[in-house]
Amino acid sequence: MEISRRSFKPMDQAQVTALLARTREAAAKGEYERYKTTTQNDSTAMNPAWLG
């Protein structure tokens, strides 16, 4: 489905609240975005000298 700028409508506050409620549990666990919750993909964690 293609969405054009002319038909775009931002979500209202009720829609945002509903979306956040539906995704809260998955977001809290961090299991789908491990790069944000672990050092698994963080080269800096393996090379602290890079930080100066």
Side-chain angles (χ1 to χ4, degrees), residues 6 9 12 14 23-24 27 32 37 40 45-46:
R6 287 180 251 177
K9 293 180 184 172
D12 62 30
T23 58
R24 180 172 281 114
Y32 298 108
T37 59
Q40 180 179 353
M46 304 300 176

Side-chain angles (χ1 to χ4, degrees), residues 5-37:
R5 286 185 241 173
R6 287 180 251 177
S7 64
F8 175 78
K9 293 180 184 172
M11 293 188 291
D12 62 30
Q13 189 57 48
Q15 291 171 313
V16 171
T17 300
L19 176 63
L20 292 174
R22 288 194 314 267
T23 58
R24 180 172 281 114
E25 186 178 337
K29 294 178 185 177
E31 67 182 287
Y32 298 108
E33 295 181 317
R34 296 188 65 73
Y35 67 94
K36 292 182 179 178
T37 59

